[in-house]
Amino acid sequence: MKAQSARKPHRIVFANEKGGTGKSTTAVHIAVALAYGGARVAAIDLDPRQRTTDRYLENRAETAKRRGITLPTATSAVLDSSDPAELEALVESHAGDADFVLFDTPGRDDPLARHAATQADTLVTPLNDSFVDFDLIGQVDAETFKVRRLSFYAELIWEARLKRSKATIEEQRREMDWVVVRNRTGHTEARNMARIEKALTELSKRVGFRVTAGLSERVIYRELFPSGLTLLDKGHLGDLGTSHLVARQELRQLLKGLNLPVIPNVARQLEPA
């Protein structure tokens, strides 16, 4: 991958104020996929209480040291602050020479998370396939399931995108790409899934986000956390069962759906052995 030194790092923000949607798991796997593709990747964890992404990458470094192996990874930092200026200073010091900087935001309404979201080049919002999670971005009619209004969060991102579109070339700003990722679709009853899909399609036309398939609820992701390994670390995972291979296919489709700047060699990492 060619370094993006002439431009600012591509910012990928994983944000959902509800939590429990696979946000950190998705963030780590995307970070490692980018690293496998030859990119310089920095991660900033904005949840100092949970710091799941930071802990995952910390576990990964410990596993690499203990086994005496090299694992492509991202550098990691945690910010305990509510000041956007401090976040921007950390980006400059921690990720100034990175190709990509990933932000894992807390699963709650947070001023710093809002700032990070409005500054994203790619905003990733994982949702479990339920109207409980859909409520983050829009409210639906109880009888018809048609979208009645945008949520506060959707309006925030809409306004940020409008403001962003006015940025000049000299400011080196990109158009924000907002991607809603549907996780746990395999656990959703068919009629409910169809209703959610229809509501997402309707809302996406109004707000301008894209929708892509995400990760199913699989035990493998919870099992990998203590070691910091990911589905891409094929040579270090032992024998993979069928469910693991399906999960890897899901990850491949997710990477494709995010449509990030060129990631050479990543697809090869996701192929079955």
Side-chain angles (χ1 to χ4, degrees):
M1 170 174 287
K2 293 182 179 180
Q4 301 176 26
S5 57
R7 305 179 67 184
K8 298 177 181 178
H10 188 93
R11 297 189 179 204
I12 310 173
V13 179
F14 296 83
N16 185 314
E17 295 178 354
K18 289 186 177 297
T21 58
K23 179 167 49 63
S24 298
T25 297
T26 304
V28 170
H29 274 77
I30 296 302
V32 172
L34 291 169
Y36 263 113
R40 295 169 296 183
V41 186
I44 297 179
D45 197 324
L46 298 181
D47 190 346
R49 288 185 291 183
Q50 297 291 333
R51 67 184 193 92
T52 305
T53 289
D54 184 63
R55 284 283 295 120
Y56 204 124
L57 294 172
E58 186 178 87
N59 292 344
R60 185 172 181 81
E62 292 175 355
T63 294
K65 182 178 180 180
R66 183 173 62 254
R67 297 188 184 184
I69 58 177
T70 299
L71 293 172
T73 192
T75 61
S76 182
V78 181
L79 180 62
D80 187 359
S81 171
S82 59
D83 185 354
E86 290 190 29
L87 174 58
E88 294 304 321
L90 179 60
V91 171
E92 184 65 29
S93 62
H94 175 66
D97 63 347
D99 299 305
F100 295 89
V101 54
L102 282 69
F103 301 81
D104 186 8
T105 63
R108 60 180 182 274
D109 186 17
D110 180 273
L112 205 59
R114 290 188 196 178
H115 171 78
T118 60
Q119 298 301 308
D121 297 310
T122 301
L123 176 63
V124 182
T125 302
L127 296 177
N128 291 324
D129 233 37
S130 76
F131 280 109
V132 173
D133 280 23
F134 184 90
D135 194 65
L136 171 75
I137 55 177
Q139 299 177 14
V140 298
D141 183 89
E143 300 295 334
T144 64
F145 295 96
K146 288 184 175 296
V147 178
R148 293 193 296 117
R149 64 172 65 95
L150 303 182
S151 70
F152 170 79
Y153 187 78
E155 289 179 346
L156 174 73
I157 302 305
W158 172 254
E159 292 173 2
R161 295 181 74 185
L162 288 178
K163 182 178 179 181
R164 181 71 159 268
S165 67
K166 299 176 182 178
T168 63
I169 296 177
E170 289 74 17
E171 291 175 316
Q172 297 183 326
R173 303 304 302 274
R174 307 171 177 88
E175 292 291 331
M176 182 193 295
D177 185 18
W178 185 11
V179 187
V180 171
V181 175
R182 296 176 68 183
N183 284 336
R184 300 191 67 187
T185 53
H187 293 252
T188 307
E189 185 263 335
R191 185 174 62 174
N192 189 58
M193 184 186 298
R195 287 171 172 169
I196 292 172
E197 183 170 353
K198 184 177 181 180
L200 280 171
T201 299
E202 179 185 346
L203 192 57
S204 68
K205 292 176 181 178
R206 292 171 58 176
V207 184
F209 59 74
R210 297 187 297 109
V211 181
T212 190
L215 309 178
S216 297
E217 178 72 14
R218 299 186 185 278
V219 175
I220 180 63
Y221 295 114
R222 295 190 292 273
E223 291 179 342
L224 289 173
F225 176 79
S227 66
L229 295 175
T230 71
L231 290 172
L232 289 89
D233 304 308
K234 293 187 295 185
H236 308 291
L237 294 174
D239 295 331
L240 298 181
T242 303
S243 64
H244 297 57
L245 298 178
V246 172
R248 183 176 291 159
Q249 175 66 15
E250 291 174 347
L251 180 57
R252 177 199 294 167
Q253 293 302 317
L254 173 57
L255 274 166
K256 182 179 179 180
L258 292 183
N259 194 30
L260 298 171
V262 179
I263 315 168
N265 303 321
V266 170
R268 185 174 61 188
Q269 297 293 336
L270 298 171
E271 293 287 351

